Amino acid sequence: MKPVRLALLGCGTVGAEVVRLLHEQADDLTARIGAPIEIAGIAVRRLARDRGQLPVDPALFTTDALGLVKRDDVDVVVEVVGGIEPARTWLVEALRAGKSVVTANKALLAEDGGTLHDAATEGGADLYYEAAVAGAIPLLRPLRESLHGDKITRVTGIVNGTTNYILSSMDASGASFTEALEEATALGYAEADPTADIDGFDAAAKAAILASLAFHSRVGAADVHREGITEVSAADVASAKAMGCTIKLLCIASRVSGLSGDSVSVRVHPAMIPRTHPLASVGDAFNAVFVEAEAAGQLMFYGRGAGGAPTASAVLGDIVAVGRNRLAGVRSASESSYADLPVRPMGEVVTRYHISLDVADRAGVLAAVAGVFAKHDVSIATVRQSGRGDDAILVIVTHGAPDAALAATVRELQALDIVRSIASVLRVEGATT
C-alpha cells in the first residue's frame, strides 16, 4: 500500500499530540484509511527546542515550512501554527497544488476563509477544519454535511472555555471578574495574555465560521459584533441569579427574515440566560453549541472545546477523511456559499436589555425613566428597585427592540440628572421571569 505522506506545520501543544496519536494509533488509522500514514516532515520555528520524547525521527524537523509544503512527496498538509501569515501562504500553496489541507486555524478561516476555499476549488483539493471550532466536539461536519438538507435558523454557543470558566466561577463563588481571571490563569485555563479570550476575539472568529457553514454565506470576523466579559461584575451575576438566570459569553448566529429578504445576524457578547436553558448548565472550561433547524428541531453539541488532546482528536478525524478521499480519488463537497446572505447591522437586531441604574430616590424618578424608554419605543417588561436613598438601584428588563433603540435609550438615561450612574447593561436571551 502506498502511504499517505503528511507534512505537519507546527509542533506545539496540539502538534505534539498529533504526532503522539499518529504513532499510538498507527495500525487502527491504517485500517480506517486503507493505507498507512507517514510523516514526511515537521516544520517548526526553532529546531533546538526541547520537545520531550516524541516518537519521531529528529531528522524530520525543519524550519523551512514552505519548502516542506512544496515537496512532491507530500499528500496532506496539517497546519496547527495559527495566525494569518505565513500560514495563509503555506496553505494556499498546498491547496493550489492539489494537496489536501487540515487546519485548526480559526483566525485565518474567519479572516480570509474565502481565499482558502477558492484555492481548494482551483486545485481540486480537500479543505477540512473541524478542529478550528470547539476542539473535539463533532460540530462543523454535522453543519457541513449532516444538516445540509435542512434549514438552520439559529446557532447559539459557548465556544470559549476560558471565559466560560471565569463566568462559571463568578456564578458559583460570587468572585469578582479579576479574582476569577486570576484563578483561571493559575489553573492554566487562561493564557498569560488573555485578551483574545476575555475580549471576545476568539469566540468571534468561531462565530464567523459557524455562521458561514450554517447559512451558506461567507461571513468574516469583521462581520461579527463583538463584546467581551471584562465589564461583567459580581453584582451583575447576583442580579442574574435573582432573575433565575446565569451569565454566559454567547456566540449567536441567526437567520433573520425581513421585507427585503433574509439576512444573517452574528454577534458575540455576554448575556443573561435562564437557568432552564440547556447552555446554562455548561460549566468549567467546557464548550456547547445549541443548533435550531426547521426539520431537525433543537440539537446540542457538548464537550471539551480546547486543549492539546481534544484538538488533536479533531485533527486526526480530518486526516482520516482526507486520506480516504485521496485513496478513492475523490474530494469532499466544496464550499457552500450559494445563499450569499447579507449581514444585518447590530443596530437592527432585536435584542433585550437588563439595565441597572443608580438613581436618586425621590418622587417622579420612575416616570422620568419610563418616559425615556417610551420615547425610543422600547417596552419595559419588568421593573424592580432595591435600596433607598443613596443606595437606590433601579433594575429594568426590556422586551425585544432594535439594539440601536436600546443603545439610544441608555445614552439618554445617562444624561438624566436623576440617574447618578448606569451600573451595568447586559443583554438577555431566552424567556425569563
Side-chain angles (χ1 to χ4, degrees), residues 106-107 110 132 159-163 195-208 226 249 268 287:
K106 55 185 173 288
V159 294
N160 182 272
T162 299
T163 52
T195 302
D197 295 320
I198 63 176
D199 284 347
F201 289 101
D202 176 82
K206 295 170 182 176
R226 174 190 55 79
L249 181 70
V268 166
N287 284 192

PDB file of all heavy atoms in Angstrom, residues 106-107 110 132 159-163 195-208 226 249 268 287:
ATOM      1  N   LYS A 106      -8.499  28.931  13.274  1.00  0.00           N
ATOM      2  CA  LYS A 106      -9.775  29.667  13.268  1.00  0.00           C
ATOM      3  C   LYS A 106      -9.604  31.123  12.851  1.00  0.00           C
ATOM      4  O   LYS A 106     -10.455  31.691  12.175  1.00  0.00           O
ATOM      5  CB  LYS A 106     -10.431  29.594  14.644  1.00  0.00           C
ATOM      6  CG  LYS A 106      -9.559  30.080  15.777  1.00  0.00           C
ATOM      7  CD  LYS A 106     -10.198  29.881  17.118  1.00  0.00           C
ATOM      8  CE  LYS A 106      -9.224  30.210  18.258  1.00  0.00           C
ATOM      9  NZ  LYS A 106      -8.161  29.188  18.405  1.00  0.00           N
ATOM     10  N   ALA A 107      -8.487  31.736  13.263  1.00  0.00           N
ATOM     11  CA  ALA A 107      -8.275  33.147  12.920  1.00  0.00           C
ATOM     12  C   ALA A 107      -8.173  33.335  11.414  1.00  0.00           C
ATOM     13  O   ALA A 107      -8.777  34.256  10.843  1.00  0.00           O
ATOM     14  CB  ALA A 107      -7.011  33.663  13.605  1.00  0.00           C
ATOM     15  N   ALA A 110     -11.590  32.692   9.678  1.00  0.00           N
ATOM     16  CA  ALA A 110     -12.526  33.791   9.888  1.00  0.00           C
ATOM     17  C   ALA A 110     -12.097  35.051   9.146  1.00  0.00           C
ATOM     18  O   ALA A 110     -12.933  35.820   8.665  1.00  0.00           O
ATOM     19  CB  ALA A 110     -12.654  34.088  11.381  1.00  0.00           C
ATOM     20  N   ALA A 132     -10.988  23.732  14.236  1.00  0.00           N
ATOM     21  CA  ALA A 132     -10.959  25.190  14.376  1.00  0.00           C
ATOM     22  C   ALA A 132     -12.005  25.708  15.344  1.00  0.00           C
ATOM     23  O   ALA A 132     -11.877  26.821  15.868  1.00  0.00           O
ATOM     24  CB  ALA A 132     -11.144  25.845  13.009  1.00  0.00           C
ATOM     25  N   VAL A 159     -18.369  28.944  23.126  1.00  0.00           N
ATOM     26  CA  VAL A 159     -17.283  28.399  22.317  1.00  0.00           C
ATOM     27  C   VAL A 159     -15.908  28.825  22.804  1.00  0.00           C
ATOM     28  O   VAL A 159     -14.918  28.629  22.101  1.00  0.00           O
ATOM     29  CB  VAL A 159     -17.462  28.787  20.827  1.00  0.00           C
ATOM     30  CG1 VAL A 159     -18.706  28.127  20.241  1.00  0.00           C
ATOM     31  CG2 VAL A 159     -17.526  30.305  20.649  1.00  0.00           C
ATOM     32  N   ASN A 160     -15.840  29.390  24.003  1.00  0.00           N
ATOM     33  CA  ASN A 160     -14.548  29.746  24.576  1.00  0.00           C
ATOM     34  C   ASN A 160     -14.483  29.244  26.007  1.00  0.00           C
ATOM     35  O   ASN A 160     -15.236  29.696  26.883  1.00  0.00           O
ATOM     36  CB  ASN A 160     -14.337  31.268  24.532  1.00  0.00           C
ATOM     37  CG  ASN A 160     -12.973  31.669  25.072  1.00  0.00           C
ATOM     38  OD1 ASN A 160     -12.808  31.888  26.261  1.00  0.00           O
ATOM     39  ND2 ASN A 160     -11.978  31.736  24.197  1.00  0.00           N
ATOM     40  N   GLY A 161     -13.588  28.304  26.254  1.00  0.00           N
ATOM     41  CA  GLY A 161     -13.505  27.674  27.561  1.00  0.00           C
ATOM     42  C   GLY A 161     -13.006  28.601  28.651  1.00  0.00           C
ATOM     43  O   GLY A 161     -13.441  28.512  29.800  1.00  0.00           O
ATOM     44  N   THR A 162     -12.080  29.505  28.322  1.00  0.00           N
ATOM     45  CA  THR A 162     -11.523  30.412  29.322  1.00  0.00           C
ATOM     46  C   THR A 162     -12.613  31.303  29.920  1.00  0.00           C
ATOM     47  O   THR A 162     -12.754  31.409  31.148  1.00  0.00           O
ATOM     48  CB  THR A 162     -10.424  31.284  28.700  1.00  0.00           C
ATOM     49  OG1 THR A 162      -9.373  30.446  28.215  1.00  0.00           O
ATOM     50  CG2 THR A 162      -9.864  32.261  29.728  1.00  0.00           C
ATOM     51  N   THR A 163     -13.391  31.944  29.064  1.00  0.00           N
ATOM     52  CA  THR A 163     -14.435  32.838  29.564  1.00  0.00           C
ATOM     53  C   THR A 163     -15.536  32.060  30.263  1.00  0.00           C
ATOM     54  O   THR A 163     -16.127  32.555  31.235  1.00  0.00           O
ATOM     55  CB  THR A 163     -15.035  33.672  28.420  1.00  0.00           C
ATOM     56  OG1 THR A 163     -15.439  32.792  27.358  1.00  0.00           O
ATOM     57  CG2 THR A 163     -14.025  34.654  27.876  1.00  0.00           C
ATOM     58  N   THR A 195      -6.216  38.401  26.355  1.00  0.00           N
ATOM     59  CA  THR A 195      -7.016  39.364  25.597  1.00  0.00           C
ATOM     60  C   THR A 195      -7.913  38.706  24.564  1.00  0.00           C
ATOM     61  O   THR A 195      -9.101  39.036  24.447  1.00  0.00           O
ATOM     62  CB  THR A 195      -6.100  40.390  24.906  1.00  0.00           C
ATOM     63  OG1 THR A 195      -5.298  41.047  25.893  1.00  0.00           O
ATOM     64  CG2 THR A 195      -6.925  41.425  24.155  1.00  0.00           C
ATOM     65  N   ALA A 196      -7.364  37.782  23.779  1.00  0.00           N
ATOM     66  CA  ALA A 196      -8.157  37.159  22.715  1.00  0.00           C
ATOM     67  C   ALA A 196      -9.395  36.471  23.262  1.00  0.00           C
ATOM     68  O   ALA A 196     -10.443  36.435  22.595  1.00  0.00           O
ATOM     69  CB  ALA A 196      -7.297  36.162  21.944  1.00  0.00           C
ATOM     70  N   ASP A 197      -9.286  35.945  24.470  1.00  0.00           N
ATOM     71  CA  ASP A 197     -10.413  35.238  25.079  1.00  0.00           C
ATOM     72  C   ASP A 197     -11.390  36.205  25.744  1.00  0.00           C
ATOM     73  O   ASP A 197     -12.570  36.241  25.411  1.00  0.00           O
ATOM     74  CB  ASP A 197      -9.904  34.222  26.105  1.00  0.00           C
ATOM     75  CG  ASP A 197      -9.095  33.106  25.471  1.00  0.00           C
ATOM     76  OD1 ASP A 197      -9.475  32.641  24.399  1.00  0.00           O
ATOM     77  OD2 ASP A 197      -8.063  32.736  26.064  1.00  0.00           O
ATOM     78  N   ILE A 198     -10.893  37.004  26.681  1.00  0.00           N
ATOM     79  CA  ILE A 198     -11.802  37.805  27.503  1.00  0.00           C
ATOM     80  C   ILE A 198     -12.421  38.972  26.737  1.00  0.00           C
ATOM     81  O   ILE A 198     -13.476  39.479  27.112  1.00  0.00           O
ATOM     82  CB  ILE A 198     -11.114  38.309  28.795  1.00  0.00           C
ATOM     83  CG1 ILE A 198      -9.943  39.240  28.464  1.00  0.00           C
ATOM     84  CG2 ILE A 198     -10.667  37.138  29.648  1.00  0.00           C
ATOM     85  CD1 ILE A 198      -9.283  39.860  29.693  1.00  0.00           C
ATOM     86  N   ASP A 199     -11.775  39.400  25.639  1.00  0.00           N
ATOM     87  CA  ASP A 199     -12.355  40.464  24.819  1.00  0.00           C
ATOM     88  C   ASP A 199     -13.183  39.925  23.656  1.00  0.00           C
ATOM     89  O   ASP A 199     -13.657  40.703  22.823  1.00  0.00           O
ATOM     90  CB  ASP A 199     -11.263  41.386  24.285  1.00  0.00           C
ATOM     91  CG  ASP A 199     -10.743  42.342  25.355  1.00  0.00           C
ATOM     92  OD1 ASP A 199     -11.397  42.444  26.409  1.00  0.00           O
ATOM     93  OD2 ASP A 199      -9.699  42.975  25.143  1.00  0.00           O
ATOM     94  N   GLY A 200     -13.328  38.608  23.578  1.00  0.00           N
ATOM     95  CA  GLY A 200     -14.245  38.005  22.620  1.00  0.00           C
ATOM     96  C   GLY A 200     -13.706  37.758  21.231  1.00  0.00           C
ATOM     97  O   GLY A 200     -14.451  37.304  20.356  1.00  0.00           O
ATOM     98  N   PHE A 201     -12.416  38.008  20.976  1.00  0.00           N
ATOM     99  CA  PHE A 201     -11.875  37.814  19.625  1.00  0.00           C
ATOM    100  C   PHE A 201     -11.918  36.348  19.210  1.00  0.00           C
ATOM    101  O   PHE A 201     -12.264  36.018  18.068  1.00  0.00           O
ATOM    102  CB  PHE A 201     -10.437  38.334  19.553  1.00  0.00           C
ATOM    103  CG  PHE A 201     -10.329  39.827  19.610  1.00  0.00           C
ATOM    104  CD1 PHE A 201      -9.977  40.469  20.791  1.00  0.00           C
ATOM    105  CD2 PHE A 201     -10.587  40.602  18.491  1.00  0.00           C
ATOM    106  CE1 PHE A 201      -9.875  41.851  20.859  1.00  0.00           C
ATOM    107  CE2 PHE A 201     -10.485  41.989  18.545  1.00  0.00           C
ATOM    108  CZ  PHE A 201     -10.132  42.616  19.730  1.00  0.00           C
ATOM    109  N   ASP A 202     -11.543  35.455  20.119  1.00  0.00           N
ATOM    110  CA  ASP A 202     -11.546  34.025  19.821  1.00  0.00           C
ATOM    111  C   ASP A 202     -12.956  33.546  19.483  1.00  0.00           C
ATOM    112  O   ASP A 202     -13.175  32.859  18.483  1.00  0.00           O
ATOM    113  CB  ASP A 202     -10.990  33.249  21.022  1.00  0.00           C
ATOM    114  CG  ASP A 202     -11.052  31.749  20.843  1.00  0.00           C
ATOM    115  OD1 ASP A 202     -10.161  31.188  20.195  1.00  0.00           O
ATOM    116  OD2 ASP A 202     -12.019  31.133  21.350  1.00  0.00           O
ATOM    117  N   ALA A 203     -13.921  33.915  20.304  1.00  0.00           N
ATOM    118  CA  ALA A 203     -15.308  33.499  20.068  1.00  0.00           C
ATOM    119  C   ALA A 203     -15.861  34.101  18.788  1.00  0.00           C
ATOM    120  O   ALA A 203     -16.638  33.461  18.071  1.00  0.00           O
ATOM    121  CB  ALA A 203     -16.177  33.895  21.263  1.00  0.00           C
ATOM    122  N   ALA A 204     -15.461  35.331  18.464  1.00  0.00           N
ATOM    123  CA  ALA A 204     -15.954  35.975  17.245  1.00  0.00           C
ATOM    124  C   ALA A 204     -15.465  35.248  15.997  1.00  0.00           C
ATOM    125  O   ALA A 204     -16.216  35.093  15.018  1.00  0.00           O
ATOM    126  CB  ALA A 204     -15.517  37.441  17.214  1.00  0.00           C
ATOM    127  N   ALA A 205     -14.213  34.800  16.001  1.00  0.00           N
ATOM    128  CA  ALA A 205     -13.694  34.044  14.856  1.00  0.00           C
ATOM    129  C   ALA A 205     -14.489  32.752  14.676  1.00  0.00           C
ATOM    130  O   ALA A 205     -14.856  32.377  13.547  1.00  0.00           O
ATOM    131  CB  ALA A 205     -12.211  33.731  15.066  1.00  0.00           C
ATOM    132  N   LYS A 206     -14.778  32.082  15.772  1.00  0.00           N
ATOM    133  CA  LYS A 206     -15.543  30.835  15.695  1.00  0.00           C
ATOM    134  C   LYS A 206     -16.980  31.109  15.254  1.00  0.00           C
ATOM    135  O   LYS A 206     -17.567  30.312  14.500  1.00  0.00           O
ATOM    136  CB  LYS A 206     -15.511  30.135  17.053  1.00  0.00           C
ATOM    137  CG  LYS A 206     -14.115  29.676  17.453  1.00  0.00           C
ATOM    138  CD  LYS A 206     -14.061  29.214  18.906  1.00  0.00           C
ATOM    139  CE  LYS A 206     -12.652  28.802  19.294  1.00  0.00           C
ATOM    140  NZ  LYS A 206     -12.550  28.439  20.726  1.00  0.00           N
ATOM    141  N   ALA A 207     -17.545  32.217  15.710  1.00  0.00           N
ATOM    142  CA  ALA A 207     -18.905  32.577  15.301  1.00  0.00           C
ATOM    143  C   ALA A 207     -18.987  32.789  13.794  1.00  0.00           C
ATOM    144  O   ALA A 207     -19.964  32.402  13.142  1.00  0.00           O
ATOM    145  CB  ALA A 207     -19.357  33.841  16.036  1.00  0.00           C
ATOM    146  N   ALA A 208     -17.958  33.419  13.216  1.00  0.00           N
ATOM    147  CA  ALA A 208     -17.934  33.651  11.772  1.00  0.00           C
ATOM    148  C   ALA A 208     -17.912  32.328  11.010  1.00  0.00           C
ATOM    149  O   ALA A 208     -18.607  32.168  10.001  1.00  0.00           O
ATOM    150  CB  ALA A 208     -16.713  34.500  11.407  1.00  0.00           C
ATOM    151  N   ARG A 226     -18.873  42.217  18.420  1.00  0.00           N
ATOM    152  CA  ARG A 226     -18.091  41.568  19.471  1.00  0.00           C
ATOM    153  C   ARG A 226     -18.025  42.421  20.737  1.00  0.00           C
ATOM    154  O   ARG A 226     -17.704  43.602  20.692  1.00  0.00           O
ATOM    155  CB  ARG A 226     -16.673  41.311  18.961  1.00  0.00           C
ATOM    156  CG  ARG A 226     -15.701  40.758  20.007  1.00  0.00           C
ATOM    157  CD  ARG A 226     -14.277  40.777  19.488  1.00  0.00           C
ATOM    158  NE  ARG A 226     -13.873  42.101  19.043  1.00  0.00           N
ATOM    159  CZ  ARG A 226     -13.494  43.085  19.850  1.00  0.00           C
ATOM    160  NH1 ARG A 226     -13.462  42.892  21.172  1.00  0.00           N
ATOM    161  NH2 ARG A 226     -13.133  44.262  19.360  1.00  0.00           N
ATOM    162  N   LEU A 249     -20.857  34.020  28.027  1.00  0.00           N
ATOM    163  CA  LEU A 249     -20.432  34.669  26.796  1.00  0.00           C
ATOM    164  C   LEU A 249     -20.953  33.814  25.646  1.00  0.00           C
ATOM    165  O   LEU A 249     -20.525  32.676  25.458  1.00  0.00           O
ATOM    166  CB  LEU A 249     -18.913  34.772  26.718  1.00  0.00           C
ATOM    167  CG  LEU A 249     -18.395  35.465  25.451  1.00  0.00           C
ATOM    168  CD1 LEU A 249     -18.717  36.961  25.479  1.00  0.00           C
ATOM    169  CD2 LEU A 249     -16.895  35.256  25.266  1.00  0.00           C
ATOM    170  N   VAL A 268     -21.283  38.267  19.297  1.00  0.00           N
ATOM    171  CA  VAL A 268     -20.663  37.645  20.472  1.00  0.00           C
ATOM    172  C   VAL A 268     -20.714  38.662  21.596  1.00  0.00           C
ATOM    173  O   VAL A 268     -20.216  39.786  21.452  1.00  0.00           O
ATOM    174  CB  VAL A 268     -19.202  37.245  20.188  1.00  0.00           C
ATOM    175  CG1 VAL A 268     -18.471  36.915  21.490  1.00  0.00           C
ATOM    176  CG2 VAL A 268     -19.139  36.064  19.238  1.00  0.00           C
ATOM    177  N   ASN A 287     -17.291  23.531  26.342  1.00  0.00           N
ATOM    178  CA  ASN A 287     -17.994  24.229  25.267  1.00  0.00           C
ATOM    179  C   ASN A 287     -19.295  23.511  24.968  1.00  0.00           C
ATOM    180  O   ASN A 287     -19.438  22.305  25.239  1.00  0.00           O
ATOM    181  CB  ASN A 287     -17.168  24.241  23.979  1.00  0.00           C
ATOM    182  CG  ASN A 287     -16.015  25.235  23.977  1.00  0.00           C
ATOM    183  OD1 ASN A 287     -15.425  25.490  22.941  1.00  0.00           O
ATOM    184  ND2 ASN A 287     -15.672  25.784  25.129  1.00  0.00           N
TER     185      ASN A 287
END
